[in-house]
Amino acid sequence: MIQRILLRQAGRPRARRASRILLAVAAMAALLSVDMPSAAAVPPLGVTATALPDATVARVGALFAGGLDGGHFCTAAVVHSADRDVIATAAHCLDHPDTTVFAPGYRDGKAPYGVWRLTGVNVAGDWTDGKDPDDDIAFATVAPSDGAQSGGAQIEDVVGGFPVVTDQPDDVTVTILGYPSTLDAPLRCSNATSLFSESQRRIDCPDLSGGTSGSPWLVDGALAGVLGGYEGGGTVPEVSYSAVMGDQALELYREAAVSAG
C-alpha cells in the first residue's frame, strides 16, 4: 500500500527573491553545464571531498525546517517526472512535511535555484505503519515557496532531474552527494557497494554524518537509492546504507510522478 499525503500551502518562509532573468540565467547555466564533473573534481574511490558546483550537483539540495534560517537536516534530489516537480529522499526525513522546504544547489547560505515547499508526500504503507527500514524512501512533489522565484517553471525545468533505476548489481559503484548538517556545501564520495542483506545495500565512505540522510545514490547519472534504511542510514559516518530499490520503490516513484503537485 502506498500512502500519499497532500499538503496545504503553509505560511511562506523567508526566501531570497530572484528576478526571472537571473533565475533563467542560473537555470540555463545548470542545464548547459556538463553533467559529468571533470576528473580533477572527482575524488578517488572511497574518499569524501567537497562537491564542486556542476549540473549534477545542482539537482541535489538540502532540506530545511521552515526556511534557510531553520537549519538543514537532510538531503534530497530532483528526479525526472511527467509534471517535473518530484524529489526523492529518505522517508524518515519527512516526519514534518508541512514545514519542510528544499533548496537545490544550496551552498554557503545561498539558494541559487530558489526555495521549494512540499505539496505532497508518497511513502510506503509499511513505513507509515511500522517504520520498516526496507521502505525508507520517499518521493515528494514541490512548488516554489514564492511563485516569483520560478517565473512559473517547475523544479525540473530549473535544474533537471535524475532518472530512477532498479535491479543494480550487488557490487555496483555509486556516487553519493549529500549535505552534513554541520556544512554549508555538499560532499561527494564514490565507491563500490555490497549487499548487507537482500534488501539493504552498504557503502564505505567517510564523513557522511548527520544531515546526509536522503542523499541520492547515483549509478551512471541515475538514482538507484537514497541514504537511509538500516540504522537510519548508519550510526557511524564511515559506513552508510540504502534500501535496495525494487518493485515497491519503483511503484512509489511512479505514483509520485503522475500525481498532481
Side-chain angles (χ1 to χ4, degrees):
M1 181 181 68
I2 293 172
Q3 182 175 24
R4 169 127 178 113
I5 304 169
L6 295 177
L7 306 175
R8 294 191 298 270
Q9 182 172 359
R12 294 175 177 171
R14 287 184 294 175
R16 289 176 170 79
R17 288 180 177 268
S19 71
R20 294 187 181 185
I21 294 175
L22 290 177
L23 188 63
V25 170
M28 184 173 293
L31 293 174
L32 294 180
S33 298
V34 178
D35 262 348
M36 297 302 294
S38 67
V42 178
L45 292 181
V47 174
T48 301
T50 300
L52 300 180
D54 63 20
T56 296
V57 176
R59 297 173 186 173
V60 181
L63 294 177
F64 289 80
L68 298 191
D69 55 356
H72 58 90
F73 59 89
C74 272
T75 303
V78 183
V79 293
H80 178 64
S81 66
D83 289 336
R84 310 179 311 284
D85 62 350
V86 176
I87 63 173
T89 188
H92 75 259
C93 290
L94 298 182
D95 288 340
H96 305 286
D98 54 335
T99 58
T100 297
V101 297
F102 174 61
Y106 175 78
R107 190 177 298 263
D108 299 329
K110 298 179 180 179
Y113 307 109
V115 177
W116 302 72
R117 61 181 174 84
L118 274 60
T119 59
V121 172
N122 286 69
V123 294
D126 285 345
W127 174 262
T128 302
D129 296 338
K131 308 299 182 186
D132 186 339
D134 292 345
D135 291 304
D136 192 9
I137 184 169
F139 295 92
T141 51
V142 298
S145 290
D146 184 338
Q149 293 179 123
S150 69
Q154 299 284 16
I155 195 167
E156 192 178 338
D157 298 326
V158 177
V159 298
F162 299 116
V164 174
V165 296
T166 59
D167 301 323
Q168 298 301 302
D170 296 352
D171 59 350
V172 67
T173 295
V174 306
T175 296
I176 297 176
L177 296 167
Y179 287 81
S181 57
T182 56
L183 299 177
D184 275 346
L187 298 180
R188 176 194 299 269
C189 181
S190 301
N191 211 352
T193 62
S194 60
L195 282 186
F196 176 72
S197 69
E198 290 185 357
S199 55
Q200 296 286 327
R201 194 181 296 279
R202 167 191 164 131
I203 192 171
D204 294 328
C205 274
D207 302 321
L208 297 182
S209 56
T212 57
S213 287
S215 298
W217 289 34
L218 302 174
V219 177
D220 296 328
L223 186 135
V226 300
L227 199 154
Y230 178 68
E231 294 181 337
T235 58
V236 295
E238 294 77 22
V239 179
S240 299
Y241 300 90
S242 169
V244 172
M245 291 277 287
D247 292 341
Q248 168 77 7
L250 186 60
E251 180 62 22
L252 195 68
Y253 162 65
R254 288 171 174 165
E255 288 288 330
V258 300
S259 297

